[in-house]
Amino acid sequence: MQLVLSEDQELIAKTAADFAAEHSPVSRFRELRDAGDPIGYSPKLWKEMADLGWVGIPFPEEYGGADLGLSELAVVLEALGRSLAPEPFLSTVLLGGQALLLGGSDAQKKDWLPGIAAGEKIVTVAYQEATSRFDLHAVETRAEAADGGYRLSGEKIQVLDAPSADAFLVSARISGEARDAAGIGLFLVPKDAAGITVVPQTRVDHRAAGLLRLDGVVVPADAVVGEPGEAGALLERVVDRATAGLCAEMLGGMCQAFDLTLTHLKEREQFGSLIGSFQALKHRAVDVFTELELARSTVMAAVRALDADAPDASSLVSVAKARCSDAYVLATNEGVQMFGGVGMTDEYDIGFYMKRARAAELTFGDAAFHRDRFARLAGY
Amino acid sequence: MADLSKYRSEIGSWLEANCPSDLLGLSMTAIEGPWGGKKWVPDYDSQRAWLERCADKGLTAPTWPTEYGGGGLDKAEAKVLSQEMRRLRVPPPLIGFGLTMIGPTLLQFGTEEQKREHLPRITRGEIRWCQGYSEPGAGSDLAALQTRAVDDGDAFVISGTKVWTSYADKADWIFALVRTDPDAKKQEGITFILIDMDDPGVSVSPILLISGSSPFCETHFEDVRVPKSNVIAQINGGWTVAKALLGHERSMIAETFGTGAGQRRQTMADRAKGYVGADAEGRLADPALRERLAQLELDTRAFSLTVQRSTDAAKAGHNPGPESSIFKMYGTELNQRRQELLVSMLGPNALGWEGPGFEEAELSVTRDWLRSRGNTIEGGTSEVQRNIVAKRVLGLPD
C-alpha cells in the first residue's frame, strides 16, 4: 500500500478543486440553505458531476461507471468537502450504490446502477431508527412474510436525501431480537410504493434528510437485496465504505476550516499586533495542523485498504473515522474560538463547518464508538 | 524487481551463514547494544566477530558509499536488508551516533580528507561519537552557546562546558558547536568542530537522572588545542551544519519512540489483561483502561501511517512535506503517553525501584516512564518544535 497520490489521482484532485472553486463556493451552499428547499442540493450540478465521471467512479463499466476505486473517489469528496458541496455522494454513491453493487441481484444492479452512475437516480439507505444510535443491527422495523413477499412496518430516521430519493433500501427485521446481527433483511422500496410517507427533517448542518414511515408496505420477494436475514453483514461492509468516503469529505472540510482560521490569524490585529504572533494561539494552531496531517494519513490508508480488500480494512476505517471525528470537531471549535465574536455570526462561514463537523461525527459512529470497535477487532 | 528478490535470497543466506548463533533473537533491550568504540565491552564475545563480518561486507552502514566502508546499497536494497534482518531475528551489528548523526553530516558537509579519516572508523565500530551542543546557559536557546574557541594559528583553543552530552563517558570523539566569533550575531559566530576526547584538557562527569541511570554527562574543555582541519564546513558556518544534524537527530528520536519500535512482542492489550483481567467476552475488563489503550493504539497507528506517507512521498520523488515537521513533537509525546499508560496498567506493580517483589519487566516500565519525560526536552523541546512549525510551515508572524 503506497500512501501517495498517483498521477491520475492528482489530476482528478486538481479537476475537482477547480470545479469546486468555480461552481461550488460556500456561498452556493449558503443560498441553498437560505432557500429552504427540502432537496437541499442542485440536481443540475449533480448531473454535471456525473457527466465528469465522478458519480460513476466506483461502479463497473458495464453499469456506466469508471471502474475505479474509493481512492479516486476520496480525492473528489475531499475537494467537495472543502466547499461544503451538499450533493448526494454519501446517500446514493456510497450507501445505496455500494449496497446494490455488493449485495444486489443482476436484475437490481441493471435496473438501478446505470441511473445512479448517470446522476439520474437517487437511491439511499434507510438504516437508522430512533433508538439504534450507531448500531446497524438495532432494527425494530418489521418485515413479515406476506403474499409471497414481505410487509414492512416501522419508522426510519434521518434518512439521507430522503426528499429526493427515487428508491430506499430499508433494513427490516425478518426474525430475531431487536439487536441481533442475524435476521435482518434489506429491501428495495420505490418511492411511490403504497404505504410510504417521507417527512423532510431539518438538521443543524442543513443537509437533506427525512423520516421514512412504512405502514404495511408490501414488496415482492425479489425486492430483497442479498440474502434474506443476512443484511447485517452486508450493511457492515457498505457502511465501512461509506464511512471511508465520509472521512474524505471531512478531511476536506477540516482543512478548509483550518485555512480560513490561519488566514484570520495573519490578518486580524489586536493589542497592536497580528494575533497570529501570539504564542498561545500559535501552539494551538500547530496542534490542529498536526491532527490534520495524521487524519490525512488515516484516510488515505483506509480507502486503499478497502480498495485492496485488505484484512485490516475495517480496523483502518475505524482508525480514520475516530481520528477525523475528533480532528474536524477540534479544527472547527478552535476556528470559532480564534475568529472570536465574528465566528459566532451566521455571516461567517466557519460556523457552517462546525455544524457539518458535528453532523459528520455523529454519522456512522463517533470517535468513542470507533475506538471501541478498533479494540474489539484487535481482540480487547 | 527480479534483482531485488535475488538480493533478498543472497543476503538472507549470508546473514544465516554468518550471524553467530548465540546472538539470534536477542532484542536490543537484552543487550546493552553494540555501540562500538575503544571502551566497548560486548555482552557476548561473538558480538565482535559479528561486527567485523558485517563491517567487511559494508552492512554496518548499508547506504553509505563503499569507498568509506559503506555497503553502497540503494534504498530499496537497504529495505530488503532490514526486512531480512528482522525476519531472521538477527541483531544489528553496530548502533550509535556515528552512524545516525555525524556520519550523514560528514557525507553532506565533510571534505574528502575528513570523510576518509572518519567514516571508515565509524563503519568498523572503532570510534564511538558523542554530541556537544547544549550548555548550562544554552538549552532551548541553543545559539546562545558560550564555549569559546580562540584562534591560535593552525588550531583553536577551546574552553567551556557542554551538558547533556549523551554517553560522553563512553565516547572517543565529540562533535561540538563552539563560539569562534563573539562579536557576530549569535547564530553567525558558531563553528562545528570535531574533538578527540583523549586530548589534554577534556574531562567528563556523568549526570544522575530521576530514572536512576546516567546516560548524559557534563563535558568540560580547559584550553584544549584542536587543529583547524577538524572544522566541518566554514569557520563561523556551524549553525547550518547544526540544523542539518538536528534534523537527523529529530527523525531518529521520532522513529525510535513514536512508532513503538523496540516494544516487547507481547501486545499492550495482553499485558493489560494480565493485570486487570478479561470479561466473559474476552475483552479487557476495565472499560476506562480499554478506551485509553485504544486511543493510544489508534494514535500510534495514525503516526506510523504518517511516517509511511512521508517515506512514500520521498520515494515518489516529492520534497519532504509539512507532515515531517511534526514527527519529533508528536512521536515523543506519544511515547510519554505510552509509558504513562503502562504505569497505569501495572498499578502498584509499577512502583518498584529495584530488588525483590518486582519483575524485571515491571522495573523497566518504571525506569522507562521516568526516562521518557526527557523525550520532549532533548533534541529541541516540544515548545520550540511548535514555534518552528508555526513559523516555517504555517507562516505565522513573529
Side-chain angles (χ1 to χ4, degrees), chain A residues 1-5 10 258 262 265-266 274-279 281-287 289-298 300-301 312 315-316 318-320 322-323 326 367-368 370-376 378-380, chain B residues 79 269-270 273 281-284 289-291 293-310 312-313 315-316 318 322-323 325-326 329-330 333 382-387 389-391 393-398:
Chain A
M1 177 164 77
Q2 292 285 312
L3 296 184
V4 65
L5 293 187
E10 297 258 19
F258 182 62
L262 210 49
L265 290 177
K266 293 174 187 176
L274 294 170
I275 63 171
S277 67
F278 301 147
Q279 202 174 40
L281 299 185
K282 275 185 185 175
H283 284 195
R284 279 161 56 188
V286 170
D287 287 340
F289 167 76
T290 301
E291 287 302 319
L292 304 190
E293 288 298 325
L294 293 167
R296 176 172 301 284
S297 314
T298 64
M300 290 178 81
D312 62 346
S315 175
L316 280 166
S318 281
V319 171
R323 182 121 241 130
D326 282 344
H370 281 282
R371 280 194 287 273
D372 188 67
R373 181 172 181 251
F374 174 86
R376 190 186 293 277
Y380 66 92
Chain B
K79 193 171 169 190
D270 287 342
K273 284 180 191 170
E281 283 181 83
R283 305 196 71 186
L284 195 52
L289 190 63
R290 186 201 298 158
E291 160 82 12
L293 179 57
Q295 176 80 64
L296 179 85
E297 297 210 317
L298 278 165
D299 291 347
T300 306
R301 195 76 197 272
F303 182 67
S304 306
L305 289 167
T306 307
V307 173
Q308 187 197 331
R309 178 158 68 87
S310 180
D312 288 348
K315 273 191 282 193
H318 301 291
E323 69 281 348
S325 63
I326 63 172
M329 176 181 84
Y330 195 83
E333 290 173 6
S382 285
E383 290 71 25
V384 167
Q385 293 299 117
R386 281 178 173 78
N387 285 346
V389 176
K391 182 175 176 165
V393 181
L394 304 184
L396 288 170
D398 283 326

Side-chain angles (χ1 to χ4, degrees), chain B residues 221-236:
Chain B
F221 301 92
E222 210 180 318
D223 296 331
V224 181
R225 269 187 77 84
V226 181
K228 283 185 177 168
S229 57
N230 284 9
V231 169
I232 304 300
Q234 305 301 312
I235 290 172
N236 295 328

Side-chain angles (χ1 to χ4, degrees), chain A residues 110-169:
Chain A
K110 219 184 287 173
D111 283 350
W112 290 98
L113 290 182
I116 289 174
E120 288 158 4
K121 294 286 179 204
I122 302 297
V123 180
T124 186
V125 177
Y127 63 94
Q128 209 167 202
E129 299 185 0
T131 59
S132 62
R133 199 170 161 80
F134 305 130
D135 186 352
L136 296 171
H137 302 151
V139 176
E140 293 186 33
T141 297
R142 289 184 325 278
E144 294 159 332
D147 305 333
Y150 295 88
R151 180 180 288 115
L152 310 177
S153 304
E155 184 175 83
K156 298 290 178 175
I157 65 163
Q158 293 191 38
V159 179
L160 300 176
D161 294 309
S164 58
D166 296 290
F168 299 89
L169 299 175

